[in-house]
């Protein structure tokens, strides 16, 4: 009997002393100093509420039990007691003032983005993120990579269902990274719980934020502001690496960017463009125009057997570059590079029975954009 | 202070509308549909509001069940994201504007004249107009679901520019519907203030009024202050959508965040509008069934007024992650933390009313007690949300959804149900079936907690709001919430059944239906005749 | 003047006893309370702004 209680006590003490919180039930402690400060504030205010709740509900349930009319309780007749009321007003005020001090300190820290070692521009778009390493000429889109078949249940769901992207944001650990956040269309919100960074991205305005990651790893989050039909399908993934590894990665990216820029000038084969275009289409266009080009009319027109598309390549390209004013179709001239644009135009002109045989070269697109 | 009055003739009661028509100056009232279209009687209009609100509660509830059905499991099984966004939006709009607010207005219409000894509201024809605006407004709003492009799909908070530059064509109708509903609220509020300030029985001072009347007086001032702000912001939206202005469009020199400031300047007092009358109802029911006067009546009145005033100073706590300047962020954190004080004080007062009382557990009391516990839990999560740095992790997650559903469902809605069970004997002359009401109560408790408690964990674990599909670690919480939602929804049918049965029959109720009930409404017969207090009653002041 | 200010402050906190409340309501000068209420509210806002500005430095 006694030993059983000892075991229970030991388990209880170990569980409470362990600083890994109940996985999946509570806010994460996270991997930054800010995230752990926030976790501390959260747990403090939580326990304050628990204590107050136990006291108040304790008196209440005691009264409900002890002073039942059915057991013959006679009601007292006091109306008020000012000093008690002053006390139970003053004590909560003091508790709140006590909470406000560390909360203020944490907030000030969160607002101080000075002395950053790396600047990253984060742009929210319907429905993906765009990351640019300022001053490094490295920029790319980050779209959800969970296949639509998993969403519809045709395929089994992977471990990171809805929380995986084609290209994560790669960051170094132990360096202060400043984020400049904006949006190209509606308000989105960039959020990674493990980093405790959340900020609305507002079209036409730039918000500043920062992070200093302490541990390498992959951290996942989601868009946190309703932004249209695929609000639930534009995750955030951050891959935090050791500093050397990051520097190597960045150098590699700069090389690849140079090569892609050179790819604009050469002549591309139809098959290369169609292959690239199909991948771009499924990532970028299928959420509205659907994976077989059938669309969701009237909001999202069908592309398959679309006569206007088939007959007018200039109109087709112009629509993708500049969007359709007053409708949901955005402009893609800044989101996709000329290779991707040429590829997706070529793909859609030849897929699903459209079969125009047309090929649009990246150099043509680059020329159009320059006009 | 009170004017010298001539000796009072004995109170006259008229028992039927027909008899009343013969004794009174106006002709016999019309029968059938016209009676209800043209009534200026506060009891009939009160009933109209309540029936309208109950119907809209079920419609809004069905929208919620569509949402919960889709969220039952990961994946998209039932609806596409476009329609899902319409369901979440309409659920919010209907529940806020067509269920909760009209329910409180209905209770106000029925009970305020009875509680202050007035024969009717100050402006009876305006009262009729205020009600009939609502079916028009919400038929229009609901019809947008069938228009090309669908109904509003941008959340009940309809932030720009999603709601201006990226919205379906029906948005202009949504704006019109909200304008019409807003006018209804403003006119109703004017009526309530005029009635309370001018038509109290002689001898009834402001500080003798039941707390339900006080909370409605303060709520009415809040409504008049902020509904015009809502009207302003939706008009600016209308201009941006249809007339080429750029209030909320950076490209034209405007600012999307301006929308949020204006919306929440309305929105925050709005949530207090939705809870203050609930405080009034609970403050009537607990003393009745504890057979003990409300503890600290004066403090309760002052605390309500303080809450109303402070509610204007906290709006940007809905905007902590928008990029406010640090000083603003701190200001709103401090003001929001402080508003917890007068609210908490009220809970202490209710609990102290129970202490050393003589408590019985009829159905109105069950709902009122559940209100105290569960609303307080909602208040705790609200206090957590007030801590601005922590809010960066809570904002726009299911933690917020859990918070506001706790204060609105086992908060406002339970208080409304408590009020209905409490006052049904006065309205119908019968007690509601107590067994049925208890089943309704216990099923509702289970349903409400099963639905909304897991949402705290889903939010802390990282699940954002307004998503039609979710990552696998949120699956268990969503499963529980969806089961709870269907269970809760079904159990509300017991409420409807109980009301229908009570209207048609049941154990007869005397004028003073509940042993501990003290206010003026319990001096008129049950059911209350169509016209009451045609001669002002003699008001005997009971010491508060 | 001072009793009016005390009463308004008590009201803002939400705690008052019945006797003081009766005296206030029987004073016959609602305007004094309303004006004081408005002024104290503005002062309250000012205090919060000052606190927030100081804290932000």
């Amino acid at each position: 009997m006694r030993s059983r209680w000892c075991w229970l006590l030991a388990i209880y003490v170990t569980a409470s002393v362990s600083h890994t919180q109940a996985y999946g039930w509570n806010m994460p402690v996270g991997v930054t100093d800010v995230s752990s400060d926030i976790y501390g504030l959260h747990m403090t205010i939580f326990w304050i509420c628990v204590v107050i709740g136990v006291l108040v509900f304790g008196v209440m349930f005691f009264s409900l039990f002890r002073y039942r009319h059915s057991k013959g309780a006679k009601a007292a007749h006091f109306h008020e007691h000012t000093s008690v009321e002053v006390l139970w007003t003053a004590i909560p005020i003091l508790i709140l003032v006590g909470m406000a001090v560390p909360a203020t300190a944490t907030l000030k820290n969160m607002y101080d983005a000075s002395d950053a070692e790396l600047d990253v521009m984060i742009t929210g778009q319907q429905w993906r993120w765009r990351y640019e390493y300022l001053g490094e000429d490295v920029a790319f889109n980050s779209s959800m990579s969970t296949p639509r078949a998993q969403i519809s249940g045709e395929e089994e769901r992977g471990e990171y269902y809805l929380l995986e992207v084609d290209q994560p944001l790669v960051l170094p650990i132990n360096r202060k990274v400043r984020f400049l956040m904006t949006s190209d269309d509606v308000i989105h919100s960039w959020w990674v719980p493990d980093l405790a960074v959340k900020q609305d991205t507002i079209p036409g305005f730039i918000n500043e934020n920062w992070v200093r990651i302490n541990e390498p790893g992959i951290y996942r989050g989601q868009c946190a502001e309703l932004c249209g039909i695929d609000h639930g399908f534009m995750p955030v993934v951050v891959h935090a690496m050791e500093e050397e590894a990051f520097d190597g990665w960045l150098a590699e990216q700069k090389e690849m960017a140079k090569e892609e820029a050179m790819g604009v000038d050469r002549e591309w084969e139809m098959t290369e463009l169609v292959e690239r275009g199909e991948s771009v289409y499924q990532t970028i266009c299928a959420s509205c125009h659907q994976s077989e080009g059938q669309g969701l009319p009237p909001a999202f027109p069908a592309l398959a057997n679309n006569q206007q598309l088939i007959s007018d390549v200039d109109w087709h390209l112009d629509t993708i570059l500049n969007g359709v004013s007053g409708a949901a179709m955005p402009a893609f001239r800044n989101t996709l590079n000329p290779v991707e644009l040429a590829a997706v135009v070529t793909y859609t002109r030849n897929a699903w029975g459209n079969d125009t045989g047309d090929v649009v070269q990246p150099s043509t697109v680059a020329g159009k954009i320059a006009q | 202070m009170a004017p010298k009055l001539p000796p009072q003739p004995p109170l006259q009661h008229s028992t039927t509308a027909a008899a009343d028509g013969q004794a009174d100056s106006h002709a016999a009232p019309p029968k059938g549909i016209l009676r209800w279209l043209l009534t200026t009687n506060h009891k009939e209009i009160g009933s109209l509001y309540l029936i309208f609100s109950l119907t809209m509660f079920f419609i809004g509830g069905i929208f919620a069940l569509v949402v919960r059905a889709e969220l039952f499991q990961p994946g998209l099984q039932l609806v596409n994201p476009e329609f899902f966004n319409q369901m979440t939006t309409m659920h919010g709009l209907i529940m806020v504007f067509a269920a909760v607010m009209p329910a409180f207005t209905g209770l106000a219409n029925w009970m305020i004249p009875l509680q202050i000894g007035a024969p009717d509201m100050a402006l009876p024809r305006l009262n009729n107009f205020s009600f009939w605006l609502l079916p028009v407004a919400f038929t229009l709003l609901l019809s947008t679901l069938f228009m090309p492009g669908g109904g509003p799909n941008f959340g009940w908070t309809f932030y720009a520019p999603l709601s201006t530059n990226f919205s379906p064509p029906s948005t202009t109708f949504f704006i019109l519907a909200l304008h019409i509903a807003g006018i209804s609220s403003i006119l109703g509020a004017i009526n309530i203030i005029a009635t309370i300030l001018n038509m109290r029985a002689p001898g009834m001072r402001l500080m003798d009024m039941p707390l339900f009347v006080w909370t409605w007086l303060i709520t009415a001032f809040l409504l008049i202050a902020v509904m015009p702000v809502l009207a302003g912001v939706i008009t600016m939206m209308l201009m941006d959508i249809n007339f080429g202005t750029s209030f909320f469009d950076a490209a034209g020199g405007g600012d999307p965040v301006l929308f949020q400031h204006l919306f929440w300047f309305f929105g925050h007092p709005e949530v207090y509008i939705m809870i203050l009358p609930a405080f009034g109802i609970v403050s009537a029911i607990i003393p009745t069934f504890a057979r003990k006067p409300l503890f600290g009546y004066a403090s309760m009145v002052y605390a309500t007024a303080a809450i109303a005033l402070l509610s204007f100073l906290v709006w940007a706590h809905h905007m902590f992650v928008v990029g406010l300047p640090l000083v603003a962020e701190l200001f709103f954190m401090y003001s929001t933390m402080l508003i917890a004080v007068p609210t908490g004080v009220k809970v202490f007062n209710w609990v102290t009313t129970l202490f050393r009382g003589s408590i019985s557990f009829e159905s109105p009391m069950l709902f009122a007690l559940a209100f105290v516990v569960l609303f307080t839990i909602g208040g705790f999560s609200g206090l957590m949300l007030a801590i601005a740095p922590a809010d960066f992790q809570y904002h726009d997650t299911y933690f917020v959804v859990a918070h506001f559903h706790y204060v609105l469902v086992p908060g406002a809605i339970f208080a409304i149900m408590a009020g209905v069970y409490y006052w049904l004997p006065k309205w119908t002359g019968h007690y509601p079936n107590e067994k049925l009401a208890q089943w309704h109560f216990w099923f509702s408790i289970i349903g409400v907690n099963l639905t909304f408690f897991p949402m705290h964990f889903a939010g802390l674990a990282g699940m954002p709001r307004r998503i039609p599909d979710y990552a696998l670690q949120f699956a268990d919480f969503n499963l529980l919430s969806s089961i709870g939602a269907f269970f809760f929804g079904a159990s509300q049918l017991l409420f409807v059944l109980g009301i229908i049965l009570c209207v048609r029959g049941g154990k007869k109720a005397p004028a003073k239906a509940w042993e501990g009930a003290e206010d003026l409404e319990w001096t008129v017969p049950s059911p209350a005749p169509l016209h009451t207090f045609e001669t002002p009653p003699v008001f005997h002041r009971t010491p508060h | 003047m001072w009793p009016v200010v005390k009463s308004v402050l008590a009201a803002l906190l939400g705690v008052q006893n019945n006797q003081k409340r009766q005296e206030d309501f029987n004073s016959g000068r609602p305007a004094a309370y309303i004006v004081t209420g408005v002024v104290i509210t503005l002062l309250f806002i000012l205090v919060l702004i000052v606190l927030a500005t100081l804290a932000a430095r």
Side-chain angles (χ1 to χ4, degrees), chain A residues 24 42 67 69 73 75-76 79 85 88 96 104 111 151 161 186 191 193 198-200 207 222 224-225 228-229 231, chain B residues 76 81-82 85 291 296 299 321-322 324 329 334 337 352 356-359 392-396 464-465 469 544:
Chain A
H42 158 72
Y67 301 110
H69 181 69
H79 291 256
E85 291 190 84
W88 75 34
L96 291 174
T104 302
Y111 266 74
I151 296 177
Y161 177 69
V186 296
W191 180 37
K198 179 187 288 157
Q199 191 93 82
D200 282 2
N207 272 335
Q222 294 185 263
E225 184 59 57
I229 58 170
H231 162 59
Chain B
L76 287 177
E82 172 68 11
N85 289 347
R291 295 164 179 75
S299 299
V321 304
V322 127
L324 297 175
E329 194 110 342
Y334 299 152
M337 288 168 77
T352 312
R356 294 179 57 197
S358 177
I359 304 170
F392 278 79
Q393 296 278 52
Y394 307 134
H395 176 83
D396 233 282
R465 286 174 74 169
D469 188 10
H544 273 289

Side-chain angles (χ1 to χ4, degrees), chain A residues 146-206:
Chain A
T146 301
R148 294 273 155 182
Q150 283 188 22
I151 296 177
S152 60
E154 287 158 35
E155 268 174 37
E156 203 180 298
R157 294 184 183 105
E159 186 186 355
Y160 298 114
Y161 177 69
L162 300 188
L163 293 178
E164 52 203 347
V165 297
D166 49 11
Q167 284 188 279
L169 175 64
V170 178
L171 292 178
I173 62 168
N174 295 333
R175 282 191 205 153
K176 187 167 182 177
V177 179
R178 184 171 73 131
F179 296 128
L180 294 170
M181 305 197 188
T182 186
S183 164
D184 271 351
D185 35 50
V186 296
I187 301 180
H188 301 268
S189 191
W190 195 86
W191 180 37
V192 181
D194 279 311
L195 306 183
V197 174
K198 179 187 288 157
Q199 191 93 82
D200 282 2
T201 59
I202 318 248
F205 292 85
I206 300 185

Side-chain angles (χ1 to χ4, degrees), chain C residues 6-54:
Chain C
K6 273 203 295 188
S7 282
V8 171
L9 284 172
L12 221 49
L13 272 180
V15 183
Q16 185 60 289
N17 73 33
N18 209 35
Q19 208 208 329
K20 290 263 173 55
R21 200 261 319 143
Q22 283 199 37
E23 286 166 18
D24 290 342
F25 274 69
N26 288 335
S27 73
R29 305 182 298 148
Y33 291 89
I34 295 175
V35 168
T36 312
V38 169
V39 170
I40 289 190
T41 304
L42 290 172
L43 279 174
F44 172 72
I45 296 175
L46 219 59
V47 164
L48 278 185
I49 294 178
V50 166
L51 274 175
T53 313
L54 283 176

Side-chain angles (χ1 to χ4, degrees), chain B residues 286-370:
Chain B
I286 290 186
T288 298
F289 294 95
R291 295 164 179 75
K292 189 160 159 283
L294 182 66
F295 183 80
Y297 171 90
S299 299
M300 292 291 264
V301 174
Y302 286 128
T304 308
I307 292 172
L309 206 64
L310 283 173
S311 73
F312 286 99
L313 303 178
V314 298
W315 77 89
H317 67 226
H318 301 270
M319 298 162 59
F320 276 150
V321 304
V322 127
L324 297 175
L326 179 59
V327 176
E329 194 110 342
L330 288 170
F331 175 92
F332 286 106
M333 174 167 77
Y334 299 152
S335 59
T336 306
M337 288 168 77
L338 285 174
I339 205 173
V341 174
T343 322
V345 158
K346 300 179 84 65
V347 175
F348 300 154
N349 280 54
W350 290 317
V351 172
T352 312
T353 307
L354 291 170
F355 186 71
R356 294 179 57 197
S358 177
I359 304 170
S360 56
F361 297 95
E362 291 85 333
S363 45
M365 184 62 156
L366 290 174
F367 276 96
L369 292 172

Side-chain angles (χ1 to χ4, degrees), chain B residues 234-430:
Chain B
I234 60 182
T235 308
M236 290 160 84
M237 239 178 101
L238 186 78
M239 299 278 121
D240 269 17
I241 293 175
N242 294 301
F243 298 108
T245 56
S246 314
F247 289 108
F248 309 125
D249 188 347
D255 186 350
V257 175
L258 173 66
F259 177 92
Q260 294 186 34
H261 281 292
L262 291 172
F263 177 82
W264 286 115
F265 189 78
F266 149 77
H268 196 80
E270 165 68 16
V271 311
Y272 287 99
I273 287 167
M274 289 197 284
I275 203 65
L276 291 183
F279 291 166
I281 295 173
V282 167
S283 301
I285 292 177
I286 290 186
T288 298
F289 294 95
R291 295 164 179 75
K292 189 160 159 283
L294 182 66
F295 183 80
Y297 171 90
S299 299
M300 292 291 264
V301 174
Y302 286 128
T304 308
I307 292 172
L309 206 64
L310 283 173
S311 73
F312 286 99
L313 303 178
V314 298
W315 77 89
H317 67 226
H318 301 270
M319 298 162 59
F320 276 150
V321 304
V322 127
L324 297 175
L326 179 59
V327 176
E329 194 110 342
L330 288 170
F331 175 92
F332 286 106
M333 174 167 77
Y334 299 152
S335 59
T336 306
M337 288 168 77
L338 285 174
I339 205 173
V341 174
T343 322
V345 158
K346 300 179 84 65
V347 175
F348 300 154
N349 280 54
W350 290 317
V351 172
T352 312
T353 307
L354 291 170
F355 186 71
R356 294 179 57 197
S358 177
I359 304 170
S360 56
F361 297 95
E362 291 85 333
S363 45
M365 184 62 156
L366 290 174
F367 276 96
L369 292 172
F371 172 94
V372 174
V373 176
L374 298 174
F375 171 79
T376 303
I377 292 179
F380 285 144
S381 55
L383 187 57
M384 294 169 76
L385 289 164
I387 310 292
D391 186 57
F392 278 79
Q393 296 278 52
Y394 307 134
H395 176 83
D396 233 282
T397 68
Y398 264 80
F399 190 79
V400 180
V401 179
H403 159 69
F404 66 70
H405 280 97
Y406 260 86
V407 292
L408 281 175
V409 184
I413 301 269
F414 273 24
I416 292 169
M417 292 180 174
V420 169
Y421 281 124
Y422 185 56
W423 283 312
L424 265 175
K426 183 55 54 190
W427 301 338
T428 62
H430 314 117

